[in-house]
Amino acid sequence: MEIQSVSTSNFKLWSELELQEFPNKFVIKSMESPDQGFSISRFDGNINKLDGDEGSGSSSKVSTIYGVAGTIRLLAGTHLLVITSRKEVGTYLGFPVFRVTSMKFLSCNEASRFLTSQEIKDEAYFMTLLKIVESTPGLYYSYGTDITLNLQRRFKLSEGWMSRPVWKQADPRFVWNRNILEELMENKLDGFIIPLLQGNILKSQLSLPLCTREIKLKNSPAVITLISRRCTRRLGTRMWRRGANLEGDTANFIETEQMLEFGGFISSFLQVRGSIPLLWEQIVDLSYKPRLNIINHEQTSKVVERHFNDLLQRYGECVAVDLTDKHGDEGLLSMAYASEMQKLPNVRYVSFDFHHSCGNSNFDHLHLLYDQILEDFEKQGYFLVDPERKIVAEQGGIIRSNCIDCLDRTNVTQSYLAKKSLEIQLQRIGALSPSESISTFSQDFEIFKTLWAEQGDEISLEYSGTHALKGDLVRYGKQTMTGLIKDGMSSLSRYYLNNFQDGVRQDAIDLISGHYTVNRNGPSPFQYNGFDSISYLPVASALVIGGLTVTSITLNQAGRSAQNFLSSVVCAGLTAGLMAVIKSNGRQFCSRPRLCGLF
């Protein structure tokens, strides 16, 4: 079967833009074609295409920007999100790919003087959320092509698809800024509409979300590319987005594609991960590991069915690999999941207790899982295109892996399966003999393992705020002392972020993704919140620290008199009581979302 070349007559976005700031408007135009551009009013946010000499006058400030990410309307007006700096991180099928390194909102909110006192408070909180959005990690894009479609879908598109505007080529599931592109679409500003993909965030200059490494096997160059695409349907932070919603969309759902380019051949292997598709929660309450709570709902079976029907339609046959523990809260959740999966005869469910089988150092024990799914794994295969751009093989199914967070255990497992698939592909195209594996080439194998470890770190940063745990298992196949210390620090960081910052971060995500819409005619989302954890937490912390300090001082003097001893006992009792009150009301002292519910 012949396919269209990926390099024919592609639609191209304007790559460098001039931003002119006037007292009454912002003007943005292409530096390559100055007659192409638009203006946005600083009073009402209305957008108009450039007409004649508009934008040719004297502006107060002129700067260069590298893209327009969209617009969002708050209480006082519109805010325009622009890309102020970028970094080229490699290429995708020959097209340069960039990582967003900084963004900025341009405010068109002259109506702010007409707000009520409550609206002024609300707008101030919304503006705080926009500041968080500006620092969103892991955003990638290309001016020359779409990067949200996997290779198999891309190569099977109808002729002429690549000549369409880039935003029309994209898979909407993976367009991070889809919600804020509406006004640009309505005004037909196709050359300025950049679909942003949230995925990997890699520090190496040779990396993409897309993390590309060139390896040499038998003196022939090969390029391995990892692309991770985060779904926006249930976007959020680690503790505030768990499980599925009623539509069957799961938290932390990511499509990961491993591409290989060697000797003119191009191949691709897809895997997906996502939270257990039940209705469940794990609300932070100051404890190190909050309890898991499975929500009994009449729609639970339908939720699971909707989720897997979507996967079957998109990817073909599906094997669901559950890596959770079989005891404690995880065990209860796993049992509930297994029970629901028995109702789906067209999906194979495989339970594999990762911690029991692999512990912290037995990475090779994953062969036990591999042996269980080997027949399905080989049947699903991979996508392969020969040097003449003919499709030689197609991937006919998907492995869906999950643990609780779908981060650490999941990444170790996916890297193992990716290695197995890569070896099969290299053997088929003649790069390896049937008796060889990539581990035969130690330097190349290190590159492969580092690639997957970095990918795991960056996906974890987006969801949990820290690097992945168990990274040593991917890099070295065992846990090291350095890795244990790093994992300990990451665990403490996760605890702090989950308890004291992620509620506000979740609000920022809900606002920019459209799960919450600002409505000036509706009630304030903050009007009925009687307990503000942000203001109470410092007071409680100060009281506990003060109590501990006074207790310590009185204990040092306790031996001098019975009165000092009694004082130390009273202070210790009061401090312990205060700590018990805080612990029992832990949820009230944690940062929590204020705009949207859990589902």
Side-chain angles (χ1 to χ4, degrees), residues 14-17 65-69 81-84 141 143 192 194:
W14 303 118
S15 58
E16 291 192 4
L17 309 175
I65 60 175
Y66 302 97
V68 179
L81 182 60
V82 298
I83 300 170
T84 53
Y141 67 96
Y143 297 109
F192 297 89
I194 297 180

Side-chain angles (χ1 to χ4, degrees), residues 225-243:
T225 302
L226 276 186
I227 310 172
S228 289
R229 304 176 175 102
R230 181 179 296 279
C231 182
T232 61
R233 290 177 173 175
R234 188 159 168 73
L235 204 59
T237 58
R238 176 173 173 250
M239 288 299 189
W240 292 111
R241 284 298 175 267
R242 295 292 211 188

Side-chain angles (χ1 to χ4, degrees), residues 97-117:
V97 173
F98 298 86
R99 183 177 70 234
V100 175
T101 52
S102 66
M103 300 186 292
K104 179 182 178 182
F105 276 101
L106 304 176
S107 298
C108 308
N109 59 347
E110 294 297 322
S112 59
R113 58 181 178 272
F114 302 114
L115 299 180
T116 66
S117 58

Side-chain angles (χ1 to χ4, degrees), residues 234-404:
R234 188 159 168 73
L235 204 59
T237 58
R238 176 173 173 250
M239 288 299 189
W240 292 111
R241 284 298 175 267
R242 295 292 211 188
N245 58 21
L246 292 175
E247 287 71 41
D249 306 315
T250 59
N252 203 25
F253 184 89
I254 297 171
E255 176 190 271
T256 297
E257 180 175 25
Q258 178 177 275
M259 287 175 52
L260 168 68
E261 297 173 73
F262 179 84
F265 288 90
I266 305 176
S267 62
S268 160
F269 174 63
L270 284 175
Q271 300 182 77
V272 295
R273 69 177 75 190
S275 191
I276 291 178
L278 304 178
L279 302 176
W280 61 281
E281 62 184 8
Q282 191 176 19
I283 306 299
V284 291
D285 58 3
L286 297 181
S287 62
Y288 178 72
K289 192 173 183 179
R291 295 295 304 270
L292 299 175
N293 178 40
I294 303 171
I295 298 173
N296 292 321
H297 196 284
E298 60 182 8
Q299 288 287 313
T300 294
S301 295
K302 286 292 184 183
V303 167
V304 179
E305 183 179 351
R306 288 171 190 139
H307 176 75
F308 281 101
N309 282 345
D310 183 63
L311 295 185
L312 293 168
Q313 183 178 4
R314 293 179 184 277
Y315 300 105
E317 294 181 1
C318 181
V319 177
V321 175
D322 180 13
L323 303 168
T324 55
D325 297 346
K326 298 302 170 271
H327 59 271
D329 284 355
E330 283 194 25
L332 295 176
L333 183 60
S334 180
M335 287 175 58
Y337 184 24
S339 176
E340 292 296 334
M341 293 304 293
Q342 290 178 2
K343 304 173 186 177
L344 299 179
N346 54 347
V347 178
R348 184 184 174 195
Y349 171 79
V350 177
S351 178
F352 181 79
D353 189 331
F354 183 97
H355 285 147
H356 176 75
S357 299
C358 300
N360 290 322
S361 59
N362 298 316
F363 180 40
D364 289 339
H365 284 189
L366 277 171
H367 76 84
L368 299 173
L369 169 64
Y370 183 68
D371 291 343
Q372 289 186 62
I373 64 172
L374 177 59
E375 184 177 346
D376 291 300
F377 184 78
E378 292 181 340
K379 181 181 177 182
Q380 290 179 4
Y382 49 86
F383 180 71
L384 178 64
V385 176
D386 69 13
E388 285 74 43
R389 292 298 187 261
K390 293 181 180 179
I391 297 176
V392 177
E394 297 184 32
Q395 184 169 341
I398 200 79
I399 304 292
R400 183 202 190 277
S401 303
N402 73 267
C403 47
I404 290 297

